[in-house]
Amino acid sequence: ENINRSIIVNGELPSYNYYSLKNIMLDVTNVLGFSTKINPLAIFGPDDRQKVENTSLFPYCAVARLNVTYADGTENYSTGAMINNHLLMTAGHVLMHGEFPIVNVKVQFGRKGSYTYYEVDDFSHYIVKESYADFNGKVEDDYGFLVFSSNVGQYTGHFGYIYNPQNSETLYTAGYPDDKSKGQYMYAASGNILSLSKDVLTFDVDTYGGQSGSPLYVMRDGQPYAIGAVSAHNDSFNLGRRLDTELYQWLVDHGYWR
C-alpha cells in the first residue's frame, strides 16, 4: 500500500537533461551551453574523501544511509539528509527505480559500520517530479523528499536553508559511497562550486555511487546550510539539483516546511 503514499509534483521548469539510472550514457545539451554525457560517479584527481569518525556529531548525525526497496522488489541504498524536522532531502532517482517507486525504506542516520545514531523505518509519503514515472528524467527534476509524520529532526538536527549561495563559498558533502566498504561508512569531502544556474549547481567535490542524494552545503557562522543534493556527473565536474527558491516555496505553500 505504500505506493499510494507518493505525491507527484507537476510544474514547468527549465529544460536540463539527465542520465539513466542504469548508467546508460545519454548525449545531452544542457542550459549551461555545452554538450556532454552524464552518469552518476566521479572522482576528480586525488580522492579527497575522508571517513567520518564520529557520526554522532552534527551535521553528520543529520545525514542518513537510505536502504530502499522498490515496487519491483529491487533493493538499493543511497544517501539523504534532514532539512527540517519532518523533511529529508535526497535525489529523485533514489526514490524511483525507473517506473517503480519506493515502497519501503530504512533510514539510518549517522551510520558507521554496525553503529547507527538514529533509525527510522517508516515515512508518511514521498515527493518526486512527475517525469520520474517515465524513463526520461532531467537533472533539474532530480529532487526527492521523504516526509516523516514524527519529529525526526528533534533527534537528528537538520540543515538550514539559504537562497543565495555564492560561487566563492566552499562546498561540502557527506554520504555513503559504494566504493568505500560498500557504503557501510560515511565519507565527507569539500571543494569548489563551479557554477550556479537557477536549478542546478556544478562542483568539483568528489562523490561516488551511493552518494546520490547526499547534501550539498555551505557553512556560514559555523552552521551548515543545504543548497542542494548530489545528482550526477560528467567528465569534468559533478552536478547537483539545487534547493532553489521556487522549490523551497512549493514546500512552504504545501505545508512541508515546518
Side-chain angles (χ1 to χ4, degrees):
E1 70 276 14
N2 292 344
I3 298 176
N4 296 325
R5 294 187 292 181
S6 65
I7 290 181
I8 305 298
V9 180
N10 293 291
E12 293 299 323
L13 292 170
S15 179
Y16 199 111
N17 292 313
Y18 179 61
Y19 64 100
S20 106
L21 306 184
K22 289 296 187 180
N23 295 343
I24 299 172
M25 305 297 286
L26 302 180
D27 190 13
V28 304
T29 301
N30 62 45
V31 297
L32 298 181
F34 51 83
S35 180
T36 186
K37 295 176 184 288
I38 328 177
N39 69 47
L41 318 174
I43 303 295
F44 298 109
D47 188 349
D48 298 323
R49 295 170 298 166
Q50 299 292 322
K51 181 189 281 189
V52 177
E53 296 297 341
N54 189 348
T55 58
S56 299
L57 293 178
F58 184 75
Y60 304 117
C61 56
V63 178
R65 172 177 157 134
L66 309 180
N67 304 284
V68 300
T69 303
Y70 301 101
D72 64 348
T74 303
E75 296 181 343
N76 207 345
Y77 74 87
S78 198
T79 305
M82 295 299 293
I83 57 171
N84 66 37
N85 282 335
H86 296 270
L87 196 65
L88 179 142
M89 177 177 65
T90 186
H93 69 263
V94 171
L95 304 181
M96 299 289 294
H97 182 243
E99 63 181 305
F100 299 103
I102 185 176
V103 292
N104 289 299
V105 61
K106 180 183 290 186
V107 185
Q108 297 175 308
F109 292 95
R111 177 168 172 173
K112 179 185 177 184
S114 61
Y115 168 80
T116 297
Y117 176 78
Y118 186 73
E119 185 171 309
V120 183
D121 61 3
D122 196 16
F123 60 98
S124 172
H125 51 275
Y126 63 88
I127 302 168
V128 296
K129 179 71 175 179
E130 185 177 30
S131 63
Y132 270 89
D134 303 317
F135 289 93
N136 185 27
K138 300 174 182 178
V139 170
E140 87 277 12
D141 296 342
D142 194 26
Y143 54 80
F145 302 93
L146 285 178
V147 183
F148 300 107
S149 56
S150 59
N151 191 348
V152 173
Q154 175 183 351
Y155 304 98
T156 65
H158 63 78
F159 288 79
Y161 166 71
I162 57 170
Y163 67 91
N164 62 342
Q166 304 298 311
N167 289 67
S168 59
E169 293 184 277
T170 299
L171 186 68
Y172 299 86
T173 193
Y176 290 89
D178 183 65
D179 64 328
K180 303 286 190 180
S181 302
K182 295 296 182 182
Q184 301 298 312
Y185 294 89
M186 186 186 300
Y187 281 76
S190 62
N192 302 302
I193 298 173
L194 302 179
S195 68
L196 292 163
S197 70
K198 175 182 175 295
D199 306 303
V200 176
L201 69 153
T202 66
F203 54 94
D204 63 6
V205 185
D206 290 331
T207 62
Y208 203 82
Q211 291 184 258
S212 290
S214 295
L216 296 167
Y217 63 98
V218 298
M219 299 294 294
R220 293 188 181 179
D221 298 323
Q223 298 299 317
Y225 290 87
I227 65 171
V230 172
S231 175
H233 103 104
N234 68 14
D235 292 338
S236 302
F237 48 76
N238 287 313
L239 300 98
R241 206 305 179 179
R242 285 188 62 184
L243 181 57
D244 65 302
T245 54
E246 181 180 344
L247 184 54
Y248 167 77
Q249 193 59 52
W250 188 93
L251 293 168
V252 171
D253 293 343
H254 290 79
Y256 293 114
W257 209 267
R258 53 194 172 98

mmCIF file of all heavy atoms in Angstrom, residues 191-239:
data_model
loop_
_atom_site.group_PDB
_atom_site.id
_atom_site.type_symbol
_atom_site.label_atom_id
_atom_site.label_comp_id
_atom_site.label_asym_id
_atom_site.label_seq_id
_atom_site.Cartn_x
_atom_site.Cartn_y
_atom_site.Cartn_z
ATOM 1 N N GLY A 191 35.073 21.108 -1.562
ATOM 2 C CA GLY A 191 35.675 21.595 -2.800
ATOM 3 C C GLY A 191 35.021 22.875 -3.254
ATOM 4 O O GLY A 191 34.511 23.657 -2.439
ATOM 5 N N ASN A 192 34.965 23.055 -4.563
ATOM 6 C CA ASN A 192 34.547 24.326 -5.141
ATOM 7 C C ASN A 192 33.203 24.228 -5.856
ATOM 8 O O ASN A 192 32.903 23.229 -6.510
ATOM 9 C CB ASN A 192 35.590 24.805 -6.158
ATOM 10 C CG ASN A 192 36.958 24.965 -5.538
ATOM 11 O OD1 ASN A 192 37.136 25.710 -4.583
ATOM 12 N ND2 ASN A 192 37.937 24.244 -6.088
ATOM 13 N N ILE A 193 32.419 25.291 -5.720
ATOM 14 C CA ILE A 193 31.261 25.485 -6.585
ATOM 15 C C ILE A 193 31.779 26.049 -7.902
ATOM 16 O O ILE A 193 32.443 27.077 -7.929
ATOM 17 C CB ILE A 193 30.249 26.458 -5.956
ATOM 18 C CG1 ILE A 193 29.721 25.903 -4.630
ATOM 19 C CG2 ILE A 193 29.092 26.737 -6.924
ATOM 20 C CD1 ILE A 193 28.849 26.875 -3.861
ATOM 21 N N LEU A 194 31.487 25.383 -8.998
ATOM 22 C CA LEU A 194 31.979 25.817 -10.299
ATOM 23 C C LEU A 194 30.981 26.715 -11.017
ATOM 24 O O LEU A 194 31.375 27.643 -11.731
ATOM 25 C CB LEU A 194 32.317 24.605 -11.168
ATOM 26 C CG LEU A 194 33.355 23.644 -10.579
ATOM 27 C CD1 LEU A 194 33.583 22.469 -11.519
ATOM 28 C CD2 LEU A 194 34.671 24.371 -10.290
ATOM 29 N N SER A 195 29.689 26.435 -10.861
ATOM 30 C CA SER A 195 28.669 27.269 -11.489
ATOM 31 C C SER A 195 27.350 27.079 -10.769
ATOM 32 O O SER A 195 27.093 26.050 -10.141
ATOM 33 C CB SER A 195 28.511 26.926 -12.978
ATOM 34 O OG SER A 195 27.962 25.630 -13.128
ATOM 35 N N LEU A 196 26.503 28.093 -10.863
ATOM 36 C CA LEU A 196 25.170 28.079 -10.281
ATOM 37 C C LEU A 196 24.176 28.558 -11.329
ATOM 38 O O LEU A 196 24.276 29.692 -11.803
ATOM 39 C CB LEU A 196 25.094 29.002 -9.053
ATOM 40 C CG LEU A 196 25.872 28.590 -7.804
ATOM 41 C CD1 LEU A 196 26.028 29.774 -6.863
ATOM 42 C CD2 LEU A 196 25.147 27.443 -7.090
ATOM 43 N N SER A 197 23.236 27.696 -11.714
ATOM 44 C CA SER A 197 22.102 28.137 -12.509
ATOM 45 C C SER A 197 20.890 28.146 -11.588
ATOM 46 O O SER A 197 21.002 27.895 -10.393
ATOM 47 C CB SER A 197 21.876 27.221 -13.719
ATOM 48 O OG SER A 197 21.398 25.958 -13.297
ATOM 49 N N LYS A 198 19.723 28.418 -12.128
ATOM 50 C CA LYS A 198 18.533 28.504 -11.295
ATOM 51 C C LYS A 198 18.282 27.198 -10.541
ATOM 52 O O LYS A 198 17.936 27.222 -9.353
ATOM 53 C CB LYS A 198 17.320 28.851 -12.144
ATOM 54 C CG LYS A 198 16.003 28.850 -11.373
ATOM 55 C CD LYS A 198 14.846 29.144 -12.285
ATOM 56 C CE LYS A 198 13.538 29.021 -11.523
ATOM 57 N NZ LYS A 198 13.291 27.638 -11.058
ATOM 58 N N ASP A 199 18.437 26.073 -11.227
ATOM 59 C CA ASP A 199 18.066 24.789 -10.648
ATOM 60 C C ASP A 199 19.236 23.864 -10.360
ATOM 61 O O ASP A 199 19.072 22.883 -9.632
ATOM 62 C CB ASP A 199 17.122 24.038 -11.604
ATOM 63 C CG ASP A 199 15.921 24.866 -11.995
ATOM 64 O OD1 ASP A 199 15.189 25.300 -11.102
ATOM 65 O OD2 ASP A 199 15.731 25.090 -13.208
ATOM 66 N N VAL A 200 20.388 24.128 -10.953
ATOM 67 C CA VAL A 200 21.495 23.172 -10.945
ATOM 68 C C VAL A 200 22.780 23.858 -10.527
ATOM 69 O O VAL A 200 23.021 25.020 -10.873
ATOM 70 C CB VAL A 200 21.665 22.541 -12.351
ATOM 71 C CG1 VAL A 200 22.870 21.602 -12.399
ATOM 72 C CG2 VAL A 200 20.397 21.791 -12.747
ATOM 73 N N LEU A 201 23.614 23.155 -9.752
ATOM 74 C CA LEU A 201 24.964 23.618 -9.485
ATOM 75 C C LEU A 201 25.945 22.571 -9.950
ATOM 76 O O LEU A 201 25.660 21.371 -9.939
ATOM 77 C CB LEU A 201 25.177 23.942 -8.008
ATOM 78 C CG LEU A 201 25.196 22.788 -6.995
ATOM 79 C CD1 LEU A 201 26.043 23.170 -5.786
ATOM 80 C CD2 LEU A 201 23.775 22.473 -6.529
ATOM 81 N N THR A 202 27.109 23.021 -10.409
ATOM 82 C CA THR A 202 28.205 22.121 -10.763
ATOM 83 C C THR A 202 29.328 22.347 -9.761
ATOM 84 O O THR A 202 29.502 23.447 -9.231
ATOM 85 C CB THR A 202 28.696 22.348 -12.197
ATOM 86 O OG1 THR A 202 29.295 23.643 -12.303
ATOM 87 C CG2 THR A 202 27.539 22.240 -13.183
ATOM 88 N N PHE A 203 30.125 21.291 -9.505
ATOM 89 C CA PHE A 203 31.134 21.370 -8.460
ATOM 90 C C PHE A 203 32.196 20.309 -8.693
ATOM 91 O O PHE A 203 31.987 19.345 -9.450
ATOM 92 C CB PHE A 203 30.485 21.202 -7.079
ATOM 93 C CG PHE A 203 29.641 19.962 -6.939
ATOM 94 C CD1 PHE A 203 30.169 18.789 -6.417
ATOM 95 C CD2 PHE A 203 28.309 19.968 -7.324
ATOM 96 C CE1 PHE A 203 29.397 17.643 -6.281
ATOM 97 C CE2 PHE A 203 27.517 18.819 -7.200
ATOM 98 C CZ PHE A 203 28.064 17.662 -6.682
ATOM 99 N N ASP A 204 33.334 20.463 -8.011
ATOM 100 C CA ASP A 204 34.432 19.505 -8.161
ATOM 101 C C ASP A 204 34.657 18.658 -6.919
ATOM 102 O O ASP A 204 35.696 18.023 -6.773
ATOM 103 C CB ASP A 204 35.726 20.226 -8.558
ATOM 104 C CG ASP A 204 36.221 21.202 -7.494
ATOM 105 O OD1 ASP A 204 35.635 21.262 -6.386
ATOM 106 O OD2 ASP A 204 37.206 21.911 -7.769
ATOM 107 N N VAL A 205 33.698 18.630 -6.009
ATOM 108 C CA VAL A 205 33.794 17.796 -4.813
ATOM 109 C C VAL A 205 33.656 16.328 -5.234
ATOM 110 O O VAL A 205 32.790 15.982 -6.043
ATOM 111 C CB VAL A 205 32.696 18.156 -3.797
ATOM 112 C CG1 VAL A 205 32.888 17.369 -2.499
ATOM 113 C CG2 VAL A 205 32.676 19.650 -3.521
ATOM 114 N N ASP A 206 34.509 15.457 -4.690
ATOM 115 C CA ASP A 206 34.495 14.039 -5.050
ATOM 116 C C ASP A 206 33.254 13.345 -4.495
ATOM 117 O O ASP A 206 32.915 13.480 -3.311
ATOM 118 C CB ASP A 206 35.735 13.338 -4.507
ATOM 119 C CG ASP A 206 37.010 13.770 -5.217
ATOM 120 O OD1 ASP A 206 36.919 14.132 -6.403
ATOM 121 O OD2 ASP A 206 38.081 13.732 -4.588
ATOM 122 N N THR A 207 32.577 12.581 -5.361
ATOM 123 C CA THR A 207 31.444 11.743 -4.953
ATOM 124 C C THR A 207 31.526 10.425 -5.704
ATOM 125 O O THR A 207 32.270 10.288 -6.670
ATOM 126 C CB THR A 207 30.091 12.417 -5.241
ATOM 127 O OG1 THR A 207 29.959 12.625 -6.652
ATOM 128 C CG2 THR A 207 29.965 13.744 -4.511
ATOM 129 N N TYR A 208 30.708 9.462 -5.279
ATOM 130 C CA TYR A 208 30.693 8.153 -5.928
ATOM 131 C C TYR A 208 29.293 7.561 -5.788
ATOM 132 O O TYR A 208 28.438 8.099 -5.071
ATOM 133 C CB TYR A 208 31.745 7.233 -5.285
ATOM 134 C CG TYR A 208 32.202 6.108 -6.192
ATOM 135 C CD1 TYR A 208 33.182 6.318 -7.157
ATOM 136 C CD2 TYR A 208 31.630 4.834 -6.098
ATOM 137 C CE1 TYR A 208 33.596 5.299 -7.996
ATOM 138 C CE2 TYR A 208 32.038 3.812 -6.936
ATOM 139 C CZ TYR A 208 33.026 4.048 -7.887
ATOM 140 O OH TYR A 208 33.429 3.041 -8.730
ATOM 141 N N GLY A 209 29.032 6.452 -6.489
ATOM 142 C CA GLY A 209 27.753 5.784 -6.370
ATOM 143 C C GLY A 209 27.427 5.463 -4.917
ATOM 144 O O GLY A 209 28.289 5.054 -4.151
ATOM 145 N N GLY A 210 26.191 5.631 -4.536
ATOM 146 C CA GLY A 210 25.774 5.522 -3.141
ATOM 147 C C GLY A 210 25.642 6.882 -2.494
ATOM 148 O O GLY A 210 24.966 7.030 -1.473
ATOM 149 N N GLN A 211 26.297 7.894 -3.088
ATOM 150 C CA GLN A 211 26.204 9.255 -2.558
ATOM 151 C C GLN A 211 25.151 10.089 -3.270
ATOM 152 O O GLN A 211 24.997 11.272 -2.956
ATOM 153 C CB GLN A 211 27.570 9.942 -2.632
ATOM 154 C CG GLN A 211 28.583 9.359 -1.667
ATOM 155 C CD GLN A 211 29.897 10.111 -1.695
ATOM 156 O OE1 GLN A 211 30.868 9.676 -2.294
ATOM 157 N NE2 GLN A 211 29.919 11.251 -1.028
ATOM 158 N N SER A 212 24.420 9.505 -4.204
ATOM 159 C CA SER A 212 23.285 10.233 -4.775
ATOM 160 C C SER A 212 22.352 10.660 -3.652
ATOM 161 O O SER A 212 22.016 9.873 -2.766
ATOM 162 C CB SER A 212 22.534 9.347 -5.767
ATOM 163 O OG SER A 212 23.285 9.118 -6.922
ATOM 164 N N GLY A 213 21.923 11.913 -3.691
ATOM 165 C CA GLY A 213 21.067 12.446 -2.642
ATOM 166 C C GLY A 213 21.808 13.028 -1.467
ATOM 167 O O GLY A 213 21.187 13.608 -0.567
ATOM 168 N N SER A 214 23.139 12.895 -1.452
ATOM 169 C CA SER A 214 23.922 13.473 -0.351
ATOM 170 C C SER A 214 23.743 14.986 -0.316
ATOM 171 O O SER A 214 23.653 15.632 -1.367
ATOM 172 C CB SER A 214 25.405 13.143 -0.528
ATOM 173 O OG SER A 214 25.638 11.758 -0.420
ATOM 174 N N PRO A 215 23.718 15.572 0.871
ATOM 175 C CA PRO A 215 23.531 17.016 0.949
ATOM 176 C C PRO A 215 24.738 17.765 0.398
ATOM 177 O O PRO A 215 25.884 17.378 0.616
ATOM 178 C CB PRO A 215 23.382 17.263 2.456
ATOM 179 C CG PRO A 215 24.167 16.144 3.089
ATOM 180 C CD PRO A 215 23.915 14.957 2.195
ATOM 181 N N LEU A 216 24.468 18.838 -0.306
ATOM 182 C CA LEU A 216 25.476 19.807 -0.722
ATOM 183 C C LEU A 216 25.231 21.045 0.110
ATOM 184 O O LEU A 216 24.132 21.601 0.089
ATOM 185 C CB LEU A 216 25.339 20.107 -2.218
ATOM 186 C CG LEU A 216 25.591 18.917 -3.149
ATOM 187 C CD1 LEU A 216 25.135 19.238 -4.560
ATOM 188 C CD2 LEU A 216 27.064 18.522 -3.129
ATOM 189 N N TYR A 217 26.252 21.454 0.879
ATOM 190 C CA TYR A 217 26.001 22.532 1.825
ATOM 191 C C TYR A 217 27.201 23.453 1.961
ATOM 192 O O TYR A 217 28.332 23.092 1.623
ATOM 193 C CB TYR A 217 25.584 21.984 3.184
ATOM 194 C CG TYR A 217 26.597 21.132 3.918
ATOM 195 C CD1 TYR A 217 27.415 21.675 4.917
ATOM 196 C CD2 TYR A 217 26.726 19.772 3.646
ATOM 197 C CE1 TYR A 217 28.324 20.895 5.608
ATOM 198 C CE2 TYR A 217 27.633 18.983 4.335
ATOM 199 C CZ TYR A 217 28.427 19.546 5.321
ATOM 200 O OH TYR A 217 29.332 18.770 6.010
ATOM 201 N N VAL A 218 26.918 24.652 2.440
ATOM 202 C CA VAL A 218 27.951 25.632 2.749
ATOM 203 C C VAL A 218 27.870 25.934 4.236
ATOM 204 O O VAL A 218 26.857 25.665 4.893
ATOM 205 C CB VAL A 218 27.790 26.922 1.918
ATOM 206 C CG1 VAL A 218 27.917 26.612 0.428
ATOM 207 C CG2 VAL A 218 26.460 27.609 2.214
ATOM 208 N N MET A 219 28.950 26.479 4.781
ATOM 209 C CA MET A 219 28.996 26.842 6.194
ATOM 210 C C MET A 219 28.964 28.359 6.331
ATOM 211 O O MET A 219 29.742 29.063 5.666
ATOM 212 C CB MET A 219 30.267 26.295 6.841
ATOM 213 C CG MET A 219 30.399 24.783 6.809
ATOM 214 S SD MET A 219 29.154 23.908 7.789
ATOM 215 C CE MET A 219 29.614 24.438 9.452
ATOM 216 N N ARG A 220 28.064 28.847 7.150
ATOM 217 C CA ARG A 220 28.005 30.271 7.468
ATOM 218 C C ARG A 220 27.853 30.426 8.975
ATOM 219 O O ARG A 220 26.958 29.807 9.570
ATOM 220 C CB ARG A 220 26.845 30.970 6.744
ATOM 221 C CG ARG A 220 27.023 31.028 5.231
ATOM 222 C CD ARG A 220 25.976 31.884 4.564
ATOM 223 N NE ARG A 220 26.159 31.910 3.119
ATOM 224 C CZ ARG A 220 25.364 32.578 2.286
ATOM 225 N NH1 ARG A 220 24.347 33.282 2.771
ATOM 226 N NH2 ARG A 220 25.592 32.548 0.979
ATOM 227 N N ASP A 221 28.730 31.212 9.558
ATOM 228 C CA ASP A 221 28.726 31.429 11.007
ATOM 229 C C ASP A 221 28.752 30.101 11.757
ATOM 230 O O ASP A 221 28.101 29.935 12.795
ATOM 231 C CB ASP A 221 27.502 32.254 11.428
ATOM 232 C CG ASP A 221 27.499 33.636 10.802
ATOM 233 O OD1 ASP A 221 28.584 34.237 10.671
ATOM 234 O OD2 ASP A 221 26.408 34.105 10.417
ATOM 235 N N GLY A 222 29.503 29.145 11.212
ATOM 236 C CA GLY A 222 29.676 27.866 11.872
ATOM 237 C C GLY A 222 28.518 26.909 11.725
ATOM 238 O O GLY A 222 28.532 25.830 12.348
ATOM 239 N N GLN A 223 27.514 27.239 10.907
ATOM 240 C CA GLN A 223 26.342 26.389 10.748
ATOM 241 C C GLN A 223 26.212 25.913 9.302
ATOM 242 O O GLN A 223 26.526 26.656 8.370
ATOM 243 C CB GLN A 223 25.069 27.150 11.149
ATOM 244 C CG GLN A 223 25.044 27.588 12.603
ATOM 245 C CD GLN A 223 25.110 26.414 13.558
ATOM 246 O OE1 GLN A 223 24.446 25.394 13.361
ATOM 247 N NE2 GLN A 223 25.921 26.541 14.612
ATOM 248 N N PRO A 224 25.730 24.668 9.096
ATOM 249 C CA PRO A 224 25.601 24.125 7.739
ATOM 250 C C PRO A 224 24.266 24.510 7.106
ATOM 251 O O PRO A 224 23.202 24.347 7.716
ATOM 252 C CB PRO A 224 25.671 22.617 7.969
ATOM 253 C CG PRO A 224 25.059 22.433 9.321
ATOM 254 C CD PRO A 224 25.417 23.666 10.127
ATOM 255 N N TYR A 225 24.330 24.983 5.865
ATOM 256 C CA TYR A 225 23.131 25.367 5.128
ATOM 257 C C TYR A 225 23.074 24.580 3.818
ATOM 258 O O TYR A 225 23.975 24.689 2.983
ATOM 259 C CB TYR A 225 23.128 26.865 4.839
ATOM 260 C CG TYR A 225 22.930 27.709 6.076
ATOM 261 C CD1 TYR A 225 24.011 28.093 6.854
ATOM 262 C CD2 TYR A 225 21.653 28.098 6.474
ATOM 263 C CE1 TYR A 225 23.829 28.863 8.002
ATOM 264 C CE2 TYR A 225 21.459 28.862 7.618
ATOM 265 C CZ TYR A 225 22.557 29.232 8.379
ATOM 266 O OH TYR A 225 22.375 29.986 9.514
ATOM 267 N N ALA A 226 22.015 23.792 3.654
ATOM 268 C CA ALA A 226 21.865 22.967 2.461
ATOM 269 C C ALA A 226 21.493 23.835 1.269
ATOM 270 O O ALA A 226 20.612 24.695 1.362
ATOM 271 C CB ALA A 226 20.793 21.907 2.685
ATOM 272 N N ILE A 227 22.166 23.584 0.137
ATOM 273 C CA ILE A 227 21.816 24.298 -1.088
ATOM 274 C C ILE A 227 21.428 23.328 -2.205
ATOM 275 O O ILE A 227 21.056 23.770 -3.294
ATOM 276 C CB ILE A 227 22.963 25.210 -1.562
ATOM 277 C CG1 ILE A 227 24.201 24.395 -1.966
ATOM 278 C CG2 ILE A 227 23.318 26.219 -0.485
ATOM 279 C CD1 ILE A 227 25.269 25.233 -2.642
ATOM 280 N N GLY A 228 21.492 22.018 -1.960
ATOM 281 C CA GLY A 228 21.104 21.059 -2.978
ATOM 282 C C GLY A 228 21.485 19.647 -2.587
ATOM 283 O O GLY A 228 21.904 19.383 -1.452
ATOM 284 N N ALA A 229 21.341 18.722 -3.546
ATOM 285 C CA ALA A 229 21.660 17.310 -3.332
ATOM 286 C C ALA A 229 22.419 16.767 -4.529
ATOM 287 O O ALA A 229 22.175 17.172 -5.673
ATOM 288 C CB ALA A 229 20.383 16.501 -3.106
ATOM 289 N N VAL A 230 23.333 15.843 -4.270
ATOM 290 C CA VAL A 230 24.145 15.228 -5.324
ATOM 291 C C VAL A 230 23.246 14.484 -6.309
ATOM 292 O O VAL A 230 22.352 13.728 -5.908
ATOM 293 C CB VAL A 230 25.167 14.248 -4.714
ATOM 294 C CG1 VAL A 230 25.874 13.449 -5.811
ATOM 295 C CG2 VAL A 230 26.185 15.004 -3.859
ATOM 296 N N SER A 231 23.503 14.702 -7.608
ATOM 297 C CA SER A 231 22.683 14.080 -8.633
ATOM 298 C C SER A 231 23.486 13.244 -9.619
ATOM 299 O O SER A 231 23.217 12.062 -9.809
ATOM 300 C CB SER A 231 21.898 15.154 -9.404
ATOM 301 O OG SER A 231 21.177 14.593 -10.470
ATOM 302 N N ALA A 232 24.502 13.837 -10.272
ATOM 303 C CA ALA A 232 25.157 13.160 -11.393
ATOM 304 C C ALA A 232 26.527 13.764 -11.636
ATOM 305 O O ALA A 232 26.995 14.622 -10.882
ATOM 306 C CB ALA A 232 24.287 13.283 -12.642
ATOM 307 N N HIS A 233 27.171 13.330 -12.730
ATOM 308 C CA HIS A 233 28.449 13.913 -13.103
ATOM 309 C C HIS A 233 28.713 13.718 -14.589
ATOM 310 O O HIS A 233 28.060 12.907 -15.252
ATOM 311 C CB HIS A 233 29.592 13.300 -12.286
ATOM 312 C CG HIS A 233 30.414 12.297 -13.035
ATOM 313 N ND1 HIS A 233 31.666 12.577 -13.527
ATOM 314 C CD2 HIS A 233 30.161 11.023 -13.400
ATOM 315 C CE1 HIS A 233 32.155 11.509 -14.144
ATOM 316 N NE2 HIS A 233 31.266 10.547 -14.072
ATOM 317 N N ASN A 234 29.651 14.515 -15.131
ATOM 318 C CA ASN A 234 30.191 14.226 -16.451
ATOM 319 C C ASN A 234 31.703 14.140 -16.335
ATOM 320 O O ASN A 234 32.226 13.980 -15.231
ATOM 321 C CB ASN A 234 29.723 15.250 -17.489
ATOM 322 C CG ASN A 234 30.308 16.632 -17.264
ATOM 323 O OD1 ASN A 234 31.249 16.824 -16.503
ATOM 324 N ND2 ASN A 234 29.744 17.614 -17.937
ATOM 325 N N ASP A 235 32.428 14.255 -17.437
ATOM 326 C CA ASP A 235 33.879 14.060 -17.393
ATOM 327 C C ASP A 235 34.620 15.179 -16.682
ATOM 328 O O ASP A 235 35.796 15.016 -16.331
ATOM 329 C CB ASP A 235 34.433 13.927 -18.821
ATOM 330 C CG ASP A 235 33.978 12.639 -19.487
ATOM 331 O OD1 ASP A 235 33.626 11.697 -18.751
ATOM 332 O OD2 ASP A 235 33.965 12.589 -20.734
ATOM 333 N N SER A 236 33.969 16.318 -16.474
ATOM 334 C CA SER A 236 34.658 17.492 -15.951
ATOM 335 C C SER A 236 34.226 17.905 -14.555
ATOM 336 O O SER A 236 34.984 18.574 -13.856
ATOM 337 C CB SER A 236 34.454 18.678 -16.903
ATOM 338 O OG SER A 236 34.930 18.382 -18.200
ATOM 339 N N PHE A 237 33.026 17.553 -14.157
ATOM 340 C CA PHE A 237 32.527 18.019 -12.864
ATOM 341 C C PHE A 237 31.326 17.180 -12.438
ATOM 342 O O PHE A 237 30.760 16.414 -13.218
ATOM 343 C CB PHE A 237 32.132 19.497 -12.930
ATOM 344 C CG PHE A 237 31.274 19.855 -14.118
ATOM 345 C CD1 PHE A 237 29.933 19.532 -14.159
ATOM 346 C CD2 PHE A 237 31.821 20.518 -15.203
ATOM 347 C CE1 PHE A 237 29.145 19.842 -15.243
ATOM 348 C CE2 PHE A 237 31.053 20.844 -16.309
ATOM 349 C CZ PHE A 237 29.713 20.507 -16.332
ATOM 350 N N ASN A 238 30.935 17.354 -11.183
ATOM 351 C CA ASN A 238 29.709 16.761 -10.664
ATOM 352 C C ASN A 238 28.574 17.771 -10.741
ATOM 353 O O ASN A 238 28.799 18.978 -10.843
ATOM 354 C CB ASN A 238 29.910 16.321 -9.214
ATOM 355 C CG ASN A 238 30.769 15.080 -9.108
ATOM 356 O OD1 ASN A 238 30.555 14.113 -9.820
ATOM 357 N ND2 ASN A 238 31.755 15.107 -8.218
ATOM 358 N N LEU A 239 27.343 17.251 -10.659
ATOM 359 C CA LEU A 239 26.164 18.092 -10.714
ATOM 360 C C LEU A 239 25.237 17.788 -9.548
ATOM 361 O O LEU A 239 25.140 16.643 -9.100
ATOM 362 C CB LEU A 239 25.389 17.886 -12.015
ATOM 363 C CG LEU A 239 26.115 18.188 -13.324
ATOM 364 C CD1 LEU A 239 26.653 16.899 -13.937
ATOM 365 C CD2 LEU A 239 25.182 18.866 -14.321
#
